[in-house]
Amino acid sequence: MEWQKVMERGERAGVSSSSNGGDGVDVVKEMMDVIETVGLYVGYRRTQRKECLNLVRRLKLLVPLLEEIKEIDHHKLSSSEGLKTSLVNLKKALLRAKKLLKKCSCGSKIYLAMESEAVMSSFHAVYDNLNQALDDLQYDELGISVEVKEQVELTRMQLKRAKRRTDTQDIELAMDMMVVFSKKDDRNADSAILERLASKLELHTISDLKAEEVAVRKLVKQRGVQNAESIQQIKDFLGKFRHIAGVDETIDLDGPISSKSLQKCQSLLIPHEFLCPITLEIMVDPVIVASGQTYERESIQKWLNSNHRTCPKTGQILDHLSLAPNFALRNLILQWCEKNKYELPKKDSCLRSDGFSAESIEEISFLVQNLSSHEFEVRREAVMNIRMLAKENPGNRILIANYGGIPPLVQLLSYQDSKIQEHTVTALLNLSIDETNKRLVAREGAIPAIIEILQNGTDEARENSAAALFSLSMLDENKVLIGALKGIRPLVYLLQNGTVRGKKDAATALFNLSLNQTNKSRAIKAGIIPALLCLLEENNLGMIDEALSILLLLASHPEGRNEIGRLSFIETLVGIIRNGTPKNKECAASVLLELGLNNSSIILAALQYGVYEHLAELTKNGTNRAQRKANSLLQHMSKYEHLP
């Protein structure tokens, strides 16, 4: 692509200019090339997109300045060492900005999400470098016009404002990632979290995942073995994303960067155009989708049956879901097979044109009918089987909904048998993993009945009710509905009095619901803060990180700040910063910073409890995020005169 050639030219310019100062005119031209190059970068990662676009816009504001400098007498620029030095410093600042923007355009999406705060710190460093370089320019000696000087001053003000802006980390994204990292029991709700993460990180198409694998391989090569734990986490994430997209090949991050590594051994010699882009196996029944791309019928049908409405290869939204046989390609494949004595795989004759087997359809249709049976045992067995089928794969969730399974399941939530209620709410939890089913379940009026089971059901039913509310609350309209239907108070009760698994499910659901501002107030009134403070005291539960993450969210609400900011809690926070795990310390420092920025008395109280020396230690030995939070706290504390 043309823009890539321009970027490569810009890279070469950057390398050559860094090896020697060059004259002033050359330096100015190189700076203009850098700004032109960053203007052509595309595909900024969603976690940094806004910051990248703002930085590019600010860099473009410098073009008039550089154009005026370029028109200055060549001898004047070359003869003044001061001018040359200030221009070279500006060029270095621009190259640092370019390097950061390229990283946010081509780097691993997963890594950039995990290290979003570190990347934001890099942006702040770039703002400082640019501001200092612009401040050092000798505008009067250069003869810069008043209009351009005013524009430069505007750019500098914007850079300072961007540096002062508070951390706007996507807390929902951060919590989702933390849940996936910390979950030990691989609950079905995790699939729903992963689907939301895949959407947020734009890792839901085959082409997205292939590009991410290339980016991760480069990251492994650049960073080395000292970051083995982080690399393993990224690899685990990538594997999970590939699984929910229907791509299950093993990921070998140590191998060479090659598309052939994705293919099965027997398909290495098959012409590339004969391979299905999803399975990378030779196609038996190639069909064309609305985007013009060709896939194996069974593979693309499974993709569509999983509620995807985009082309896996291009990401393009499909205008329709019709599949047209690609007879021309099929004939070419048959000719190649005959010539090379290659036997095509046998096609499953039981599969219908929609990718579902007749046996599966018959089974699910029969079970859905039995949900309305007058015989207790028939109903109970039907619910249990549907619960298991909905757990197994996305296609079953689609089929159960398409054959009318959701309305009778919702009716069974009120059935006067605790075991049927338990199986039913769990079946709806499994079905709600599908995005469309989330709306169908809520539309059928399931939420009040789920809340009722949350209050009065068996332990397992209450746990799965909480998990179901979490899954449903991924849709913003359901967050509002659950809060309005008084679902928050029983979740808080489960957080206080439930089993260990129940407490964890309740915490996850409450976090999600509290992303809605009105629900924050409801949760605070329902007593969530005392419940969370109790969790901080129960080390054996291993829920300190979850509790602190919810408290961090509630600390953004005035009512939450007032209740959280009690002296006893500040003492607890300081104790966690002193004695907690590395992740505990990181979360506690984040909460203390959020509270302290809004209330100076909290900072004074923390200082009285001896937090200063623990923060100093955290800046040296904490996690990357903990170090940043500790440094911010120490910087904020330095305003107080009594500090040593």
Side-chain angles (χ1 to χ4, degrees):
M1 294 172 68
E2 189 60 35
W3 66 270
Q4 287 177 318
K5 294 178 182 176
V6 175
M7 285 196 289
E8 288 169 4
R9 185 180 72 238
E11 290 292 333
R12 289 194 293 271
V15 171
S16 63
S17 62
S18 63
S19 57
N20 58 74
D23 62 29
V25 175
D26 288 341
V27 172
V28 172
K29 185 176 185 313
E30 288 166 2
M31 286 193 282
M32 295 182 75
D33 284 345
V34 168
I35 295 175
E36 179 189 359
T37 298
V38 299
L40 295 169
Y41 284 169
V42 294
Y44 289 119
R45 297 345 189 188
R46 189 168 177 177
T47 43
Q48 287 83 28
R49 187 171 296 154
K50 182 178 179 181
E51 207 70 32
C52 290
L53 294 174
N54 284 339
L55 178 55
V56 171
R57 179 174 52 79
R58 292 171 187 130
L59 295 181
K60 288 180 178 179
L61 291 175
L62 300 179
V63 171
L65 169 68
L66 298 175
E67 286 176 341
E68 283 200 6
I69 296 174
K70 190 171 70 172
E71 297 302 319
I72 295 172
D73 179 67
H74 183 280
H75 176 72
K76 181 177 181 180
L77 284 178
S78 302
S79 60
S80 171
E81 286 301 320
L83 285 179
K84 284 173 63 177
T85 299
S86 62
L87 290 175
V88 167
N89 288 338
L90 179 57
K91 183 196 70 179
K92 288 179 179 177
L94 287 173
L95 287 173
R96 291 190 186 100
K98 177 186 170 187
K99 182 178 180 182
L100 178 58
L101 290 167
K102 184 177 179 182
K103 177 180 179 181
C104 293
S105 173
C106 307
S108 162
K109 295 176 181 179
I110 299 172
Y111 173 76
L112 288 169
M114 287 172 59
E115 295 294 331
S116 58
E117 289 196 44
V119 177
M120 183 57 69
S121 296
S122 298
F123 274 100
H124 289 171
V126 164
Y127 299 153
D128 284 339
N129 291 333
L130 286 168
N131 222 340
Q132 187 61 52
L134 290 170
D135 186 47
D136 291 342
L137 278 180
Q138 302 170 32
Y139 297 95
D140 292 336
E141 189 174 347
L142 289 167
I144 302 302
S145 65
V146 174
E147 293 83 358
V148 170
K149 279 199 285 187
E150 288 176 350
Q151 189 165 350
V152 171
E153 188 56 35
L154 172 65
T155 304
R156 293 190 62 207
M157 286 175 59
Q158 290 179 350
L159 291 170
K160 288 178 181 176
R161 196 158 42 235
K163 175 72 164 44
R164 288 197 304 267
R165 195 172 64 238
T166 56
D167 189 356
T168 56
Q169 182 190 20
D170 185 338
I171 192 164
E172 183 181 59
L173 175 70
M175 182 66 171
D176 282 348
M177 296 187 81
M178 187 190 77
V179 168
V180 174
F181 280 142
S182 63
K183 281 266 186 178
K184 306 296 184 187
D185 51 1
D186 197 25
R187 293 285 300 282
N188 273 322
D190 289 349
S191 299
I193 300 172
L194 283 167
E195 287 175 13
R196 179 164 69 180
L197 280 171
S199 177
K200 281 203 167 200
L201 298 181
E202 297 172 341
L203 287 172
H204 39 68
T205 69
I206 305 299
S207 55
D208 289 339
L209 292 166
K210 287 181 180 177
E212 177 67 8
E213 183 169 343
V214 171
V216 172
R217 288 173 185 271
K218 289 180 179 177
L219 186 67
V220 173
K221 186 176 179 181
Q222 292 166 1
R223 293 175 62 82
V225 295
Q226 67 269 26
N227 292 280
E229 184 179 353
S230 295
I231 294 299
Q232 186 59 46
Q233 288 180 327
I234 294 171
K235 178 179 176 180
D236 291 343
F237 255 120
L238 184 53
K240 290 175 187 289
F241 289 145
R242 290 167 68 90
H243 178 71
I244 63 172
V247 182
D248 293 324
E249 290 90 345
T250 301
I251 304 169
D252 177 15
L253 295 179
D254 299 318
I257 300 171
S258 168
S259 61
K260 288 185 178 179
S261 65
L262 296 171
Q263 301 176 9
K264 302 284 193 293
C265 293
Q266 69 257 32
S267 66
L268 290 176
L269 301 177
I270 299 171
H272 179 72
E273 58 272 20
F274 294 173
L275 301 175
C276 172
I278 295 176
T279 63
L280 295 166
E281 294 178 341
I282 192 166
M283 288 182 277
V284 178
D285 186 9
V287 292
I288 304 170
V289 298
S291 64
Q293 299 294 325
T294 296
Y295 299 91
E296 173 63 36
R297 181 187 294 276
E298 181 182 348
S299 300
I300 190 62
Q301 194 64 63
K302 284 182 179 178
W303 172 264
L304 298 175
N305 289 343
S306 298
N307 212 35
H308 295 291
R309 296 296 178 261
T310 55
C311 172
K313 190 171 182 181
T314 66
Q316 175 184 340
I317 296 175
L318 299 174
D319 294 332
H320 58 80
L321 304 183
S322 301
L323 304 177
N326 191 334
F327 294 116
L329 181 59
R330 175 165 169 75
N331 288 334
L332 288 173
I333 291 172
L334 290 173
Q335 290 170 20
W336 181 87
C337 288
E338 185 178 353
K339 181 180 177 182
N340 292 275
K341 295 182 173 54
Y342 185 92
E343 184 178 351
L344 279 175
K346 294 265 192 288
K347 186 181 176 185
D348 188 349
S349 58
C350 296
L351 285 177
R352 304 183 341 157
S353 61
D354 59 8
F356 294 115
S357 70
E359 184 182 347
S360 293
I361 290 172
E362 184 180 354
E363 179 186 13
I364 285 173
S365 177
F366 177 72
L367 289 171
V368 169
Q369 289 177 22
N370 285 348
L371 289 175
S372 303
S373 172
H374 295 296
E375 296 181 33
F376 171 79
E377 281 301 324
V378 173
R379 277 190 172 188
R380 188 179 64 83
E381 188 173 346
V383 175
M384 288 175 60
N385 286 328
I386 283 179
R387 169 182 176 174
M388 297 310 299
L389 287 171
K391 179 180 179 180
E392 287 172 3
N393 67 61
N396 287 343
R397 296 173 203 135
I398 302 289
L399 272 180
I400 292 166
N402 288 349
Y403 279 81
I406 290 177
L409 282 170
V410 172
Q411 291 175 11
L412 285 175
L413 287 171
S414 303
Y415 197 85
Q416 295 304 307
D417 180 84
S418 60
K419 277 299 176 183
I420 281 189
Q421 286 185 351
E422 182 181 305
H423 292 312
T424 302
V425 77
T426 310
L428 288 169
L429 162 64
N430 296 337
L431 287 169
S432 70
I433 293 170
D434 179 86
E435 197 76 7
T436 301
N437 288 350
K438 284 178 172 60
R439 289 187 172 85
L440 291 175
V441 170
R443 197 178 300 153
E444 288 296 326
I447 290 175
I450 292 174
I451 293 171
E452 176 68 23
I453 294 173
L454 174 65
Q455 292 173 302
N456 301 309
T458 64
D459 283 346
E460 185 175 349
R462 295 171 69 207
E463 292 162 3
N464 290 341
S465 295
L469 291 177
F470 162 70
S471 180
L472 293 171
S473 70
M474 288 186 178
L475 298 183
D476 288 340
E477 62 262 35
N478 287 347
K479 287 184 179 74
V480 175
L481 191 57
I482 293 166
L485 290 170
K486 302 181 180 179
I488 290 177
R489 188 171 293 277
L491 283 169
V492 171
Y493 183 84
L494 185 62
L495 186 68
Q496 291 172 311
N497 303 296
T499 63
V500 174
R501 183 166 159 180
K503 289 175 185 283
K504 291 188 176 183
D505 286 325
T508 310
L510 285 165
F511 175 88
N512 218 31
L513 289 165
S514 296
L515 292 168
N516 175 279
Q517 191 71 4
T518 304
N519 284 344
K520 288 179 186 175
S521 180
R522 290 184 175 121
I524 293 164
K525 288 183 172 66
I528 190 174
I529 290 175
L532 293 171
L533 298 183
C534 286
L535 291 181
L536 295 180
E537 303 295 334
E538 298 182 50
N539 294 328
N540 59 315
L541 287 179
M543 290 184 63
I544 291 177
D545 295 340
E546 287 91 337
L548 288 172
S549 295
I550 300 173
L551 287 167
L552 178 61
L553 191 58
L554 297 175
S556 65
H557 192 284
E559 293 176 43
R561 278 198 297 274
N562 289 339
E563 189 166 349
I564 294 170
R566 295 175 179 171
L567 291 181
S568 58
F569 175 60
I570 305 307
E571 186 176 11
T572 299
L573 275 184
V574 174
I576 294 171
I577 293 172
R578 179 178 64 246
N579 298 320
T581 67
K583 186 67 178 176
N584 292 166
K585 293 179 180 182
E586 173 189 311
C587 292
S590 300
V591 175
L592 183 59
L593 179 61
E594 178 69 27
L595 293 172
L597 290 174
N598 289 282
N599 188 340
S600 59
S601 63
I602 286 175
I603 293 294
L604 293 171
L607 287 169
Q608 289 174 355
Y609 289 124
V611 76
Y612 189 85
E613 61 181 283
H614 306 310
L615 290 174
E617 176 65 22
L618 204 55
T619 61
K620 301 172 187 174
N621 299 313
T623 65
N624 289 340
R625 184 168 182 256
Q627 289 180 21
R628 290 191 296 274
K629 296 298 182 183
N631 277 316
S632 297
L633 275 165
L634 290 174
Q635 185 178 1
H636 188 61
M637 289 174 175
S638 67
K639 300 173 185 177
Y640 298 91
E641 294 180 357
H642 64 276
L643 278 178

Short mmCIF file of all heavy atoms in Angstrom, two decimals, residues 553-582:
data_model
loop_
_atom_site.label_atom_id
_atom_site.label_comp_id
_atom_site.label_asym_id
_atom_site.label_seq_id
_atom_site.Cartn_x
_atom_site.Cartn_y
_atom_site.Cartn_z
N LEU A 553 -14.52 2.10 41.50
CA LEU A 553 -15.63 2.56 40.68
C LEU A 553 -16.59 3.43 41.48
O LEU A 553 -17.02 4.50 41.03
CB LEU A 553 -16.37 1.33 40.12
CG LEU A 553 -17.40 1.52 39.02
CD1 LEU A 553 -16.78 2.19 37.81
CD2 LEU A 553 -17.98 0.18 38.62
N LEU A 554 -16.92 3.01 42.70
CA LEU A 554 -17.85 3.77 43.55
C LEU A 554 -17.23 5.08 44.04
O LEU A 554 -17.95 6.02 44.37
CB LEU A 554 -18.28 2.91 44.74
CG LEU A 554 -19.06 1.63 44.41
CD1 LEU A 554 -19.31 0.82 45.67
CD2 LEU A 554 -20.37 1.95 43.71
N ALA A 555 -15.91 5.13 44.10
CA ALA A 555 -15.23 6.34 44.57
C ALA A 555 -15.42 7.51 43.61
O ALA A 555 -15.16 8.67 43.96
CB ALA A 555 -13.74 6.07 44.77
N SER A 556 -15.89 7.23 42.39
CA SER A 556 -16.15 8.31 41.44
C SER A 556 -17.52 8.95 41.68
O SER A 556 -17.88 9.92 41.03
CB SER A 556 -16.09 7.78 40.00
OG SER A 556 -17.13 6.84 39.76
N HIS A 557 -18.30 8.39 42.60
CA HIS A 557 -19.63 8.91 42.94
C HIS A 557 -19.54 9.67 44.26
O HIS A 557 -18.93 9.17 45.22
CB HIS A 557 -20.61 7.74 43.06
CG HIS A 557 -22.05 8.16 43.12
ND1 HIS A 557 -22.63 8.69 44.26
CD2 HIS A 557 -23.04 8.13 42.17
CE1 HIS A 557 -23.91 8.96 44.02
NE2 HIS A 557 -24.18 8.61 42.76
N PRO A 558 -20.13 10.87 44.35
CA PRO A 558 -20.01 11.66 45.60
C PRO A 558 -20.45 10.89 46.84
O PRO A 558 -19.78 10.94 47.88
CB PRO A 558 -20.93 12.87 45.33
CG PRO A 558 -20.96 12.99 43.84
CD PRO A 558 -20.85 11.60 43.30
N GLU A 559 -21.59 10.17 46.76
CA GLU A 559 -22.05 9.39 47.93
C GLU A 559 -21.04 8.32 48.30
O GLU A 559 -20.79 8.05 49.48
CB GLU A 559 -23.39 8.72 47.61
CG GLU A 559 -24.56 9.68 47.42
CD GLU A 559 -25.83 8.93 47.01
OE1 GLU A 559 -26.09 7.86 47.59
OE2 GLU A 559 -26.54 9.42 46.11
N GLY A 560 -20.46 7.70 47.28
CA GLY A 560 -19.47 6.66 47.53
C GLY A 560 -18.23 7.21 48.20
O GLY A 560 -17.71 6.60 49.15
N ARG A 561 -17.75 8.37 47.71
CA ARG A 561 -16.56 8.98 48.32
C ARG A 561 -16.78 9.30 49.79
O ARG A 561 -15.91 9.09 50.62
CB ARG A 561 -16.17 10.25 47.56
CG ARG A 561 -15.38 10.00 46.30
CD ARG A 561 -14.68 11.26 45.85
NE ARG A 561 -15.61 12.33 45.50
CZ ARG A 561 -16.17 12.48 44.31
NH1 ARG A 561 -15.91 11.61 43.34
NH2 ARG A 561 -16.99 13.48 44.06
N ASN A 562 -17.97 9.82 50.09
CA ASN A 562 -18.25 10.19 51.48
C ASN A 562 -18.21 8.98 52.40
O ASN A 562 -17.69 9.05 53.51
CB ASN A 562 -19.64 10.86 51.57
CG ASN A 562 -19.65 12.24 50.93
OD1 ASN A 562 -18.58 12.85 50.78
ND2 ASN A 562 -20.81 12.71 50.53
N GLU A 563 -18.78 7.85 51.94
CA GLU A 563 -18.84 6.68 52.81
C GLU A 563 -17.51 5.92 52.84
O GLU A 563 -17.12 5.39 53.88
CB GLU A 563 -19.97 5.74 52.34
CG GLU A 563 -20.22 4.62 53.33
CD GLU A 563 -21.52 3.89 53.07
OE1 GLU A 563 -22.33 4.38 52.26
OE2 GLU A 563 -21.72 2.84 53.68
N ILE A 564 -16.83 5.87 51.69
CA ILE A 564 -15.57 5.13 51.64
C ILE A 564 -14.47 5.83 52.44
O ILE A 564 -13.61 5.19 53.04
CB ILE A 564 -15.10 4.95 50.18
CG1 ILE A 564 -16.09 4.05 49.41
CG2 ILE A 564 -13.71 4.32 50.11
CD1 ILE A 564 -15.85 4.03 47.92
N GLY A 565 -14.53 7.17 52.46
CA GLY A 565 -13.43 7.93 53.03
C GLY A 565 -13.37 7.97 54.53
O GLY A 565 -12.88 8.95 55.12
N ARG A 566 -13.87 6.97 55.20
CA ARG A 566 -13.78 6.93 56.67
C ARG A 566 -12.37 6.54 57.09
O ARG A 566 -11.66 5.83 56.38
CB ARG A 566 -14.78 5.91 57.22
CG ARG A 566 -16.23 6.30 56.96
CD ARG A 566 -17.20 5.22 57.41
NE ARG A 566 -18.58 5.60 57.18
CZ ARG A 566 -19.61 4.78 57.32
NH1 ARG A 566 -19.41 3.53 57.72
NH2 ARG A 566 -20.84 5.19 57.08
N LEU A 567 -12.00 6.99 58.29
CA LEU A 567 -10.63 6.77 58.76
C LEU A 567 -10.29 5.29 58.84
O LEU A 567 -9.17 4.87 58.52
CB LEU A 567 -10.44 7.43 60.13
CG LEU A 567 -10.45 8.97 60.14
CD1 LEU A 567 -10.24 9.48 61.55
CD2 LEU A 567 -9.37 9.51 59.21
N SER A 568 -11.25 4.46 59.27
CA SER A 568 -10.95 3.04 59.42
C SER A 568 -10.61 2.41 58.07
O SER A 568 -9.74 1.53 57.99
CB SER A 568 -12.15 2.31 60.04
OG SER A 568 -13.31 2.49 59.23
N PHE A 569 -11.26 2.88 57.00
CA PHE A 569 -10.97 2.33 55.68
C PHE A 569 -9.61 2.80 55.18
O PHE A 569 -8.87 2.04 54.56
CB PHE A 569 -12.06 2.73 54.68
CG PHE A 569 -11.76 2.30 53.27
CD1 PHE A 569 -11.60 0.95 52.96
CD2 PHE A 569 -11.61 3.23 52.25
CE1 PHE A 569 -11.31 0.54 51.66
CE2 PHE A 569 -11.33 2.84 50.95
CZ PHE A 569 -11.18 1.48 50.66
N ILE A 570 -9.27 4.05 55.47
CA ILE A 570 -7.96 4.56 55.04
C ILE A 570 -6.86 3.75 55.72
O ILE A 570 -5.85 3.39 55.10
CB ILE A 570 -7.82 6.06 55.38
CG1 ILE A 570 -8.96 6.87 54.77
CG2 ILE A 570 -6.47 6.58 54.90
CD1 ILE A 570 -9.16 6.65 53.28
N GLU A 571 -7.07 3.41 56.98
CA GLU A 571 -6.09 2.58 57.69
C GLU A 571 -5.98 1.20 57.03
O GLU A 571 -4.89 0.64 56.89
CB GLU A 571 -6.50 2.45 59.15
CG GLU A 571 -5.45 1.73 59.99
CD GLU A 571 -5.82 1.68 61.47
OE1 GLU A 571 -6.98 2.03 61.81
OE2 GLU A 571 -4.96 1.30 62.28
N THR A 572 -7.13 0.64 56.62
CA THR A 572 -7.13 -0.66 55.92
C THR A 572 -6.36 -0.58 54.61
O THR A 572 -5.56 -1.46 54.28
CB THR A 572 -8.58 -1.12 55.65
OG1 THR A 572 -9.26 -1.28 56.89
CG2 THR A 572 -8.59 -2.44 54.90
N LEU A 573 -6.60 0.51 53.85
CA LEU A 573 -5.89 0.69 52.58
C LEU A 573 -4.38 0.74 52.79
O LEU A 573 -3.62 0.12 52.05
CB LEU A 573 -6.35 1.99 51.90
CG LEU A 573 -7.59 1.96 51.03
CD1 LEU A 573 -7.80 3.32 50.38
CD2 LEU A 573 -7.49 0.88 49.96
N VAL A 574 -3.98 1.50 53.81
CA VAL A 574 -2.54 1.61 54.09
C VAL A 574 -1.98 0.24 54.46
O VAL A 574 -0.87 -0.13 54.04
CB VAL A 574 -2.28 2.64 55.22
CG1 VAL A 574 -0.82 2.63 55.62
CG2 VAL A 574 -2.71 4.03 54.76
N GLY A 575 -2.75 -0.54 55.23
CA GLY A 575 -2.30 -1.88 55.60
C GLY A 575 -2.13 -2.77 54.38
O GLY A 575 -1.18 -3.56 54.29
N ILE A 576 -3.04 -2.65 53.39
CA ILE A 576 -2.92 -3.45 52.16
C ILE A 576 -1.69 -3.01 51.36
O ILE A 576 -0.96 -3.84 50.80
CB ILE A 576 -4.21 -3.33 51.32
CG1 ILE A 576 -5.38 -3.97 52.06
CG2 ILE A 576 -4.02 -3.99 49.95
CD1 ILE A 576 -6.73 -3.72 51.41
N ILE A 577 -1.46 -1.70 51.30
CA ILE A 577 -0.28 -1.20 50.58
C ILE A 577 1.00 -1.71 51.25
O ILE A 577 2.01 -1.96 50.59
CB ILE A 577 -0.31 0.35 50.53
CG1 ILE A 577 -1.48 0.81 49.64
CG2 ILE A 577 1.02 0.90 50.01
CD1 ILE A 577 -1.72 2.31 49.66
N ARG A 578 0.93 -1.91 52.56
CA ARG A 578 2.11 -2.38 53.29
C ARG A 578 2.29 -3.90 53.15
O ARG A 578 3.40 -4.37 52.89
CB ARG A 578 1.97 -2.02 54.78
CG ARG A 578 3.15 -2.49 55.65
CD ARG A 578 2.99 -2.07 57.10
NE ARG A 578 1.84 -2.69 57.72
CZ ARG A 578 0.75 -2.02 58.15
NH1 ARG A 578 0.69 -0.71 58.02
NH2 ARG A 578 -0.26 -2.66 58.70
N ASN A 579 1.20 -4.67 53.27
CA ASN A 579 1.34 -6.13 53.43
C ASN A 579 0.68 -6.96 52.33
O ASN A 579 0.80 -8.19 52.35
CB ASN A 579 0.73 -6.57 54.78
CG ASN A 579 1.45 -5.94 55.96
OD1 ASN A 579 2.67 -5.83 55.95
ND2 ASN A 579 0.69 -5.52 56.96
N GLY A 580 -0.01 -6.35 51.38
CA GLY A 580 -0.76 -7.12 50.39
C GLY A 580 0.12 -7.74 49.31
O GLY A 580 1.34 -7.55 49.27
N THR A 581 -0.53 -8.51 48.44
CA THR A 581 0.17 -9.05 47.27
C THR A 581 0.47 -7.90 46.32
O THR A 581 -0.09 -6.80 46.47
CB THR A 581 -0.72 -10.08 46.54
OG1 THR A 581 -1.85 -9.38 45.98
CG2 THR A 581 -1.20 -11.17 47.48
N PRO A 582 1.35 -8.10 45.34
CA PRO A 582 1.64 -7.01 44.39
C PRO A 582 0.38 -6.44 43.74
O PRO A 582 0.25 -5.22 43.60
CB PRO A 582 2.55 -7.70 43.36
CG PRO A 582 3.26 -8.76 44.14
CD PRO A 582 2.24 -9.26 45.12
#
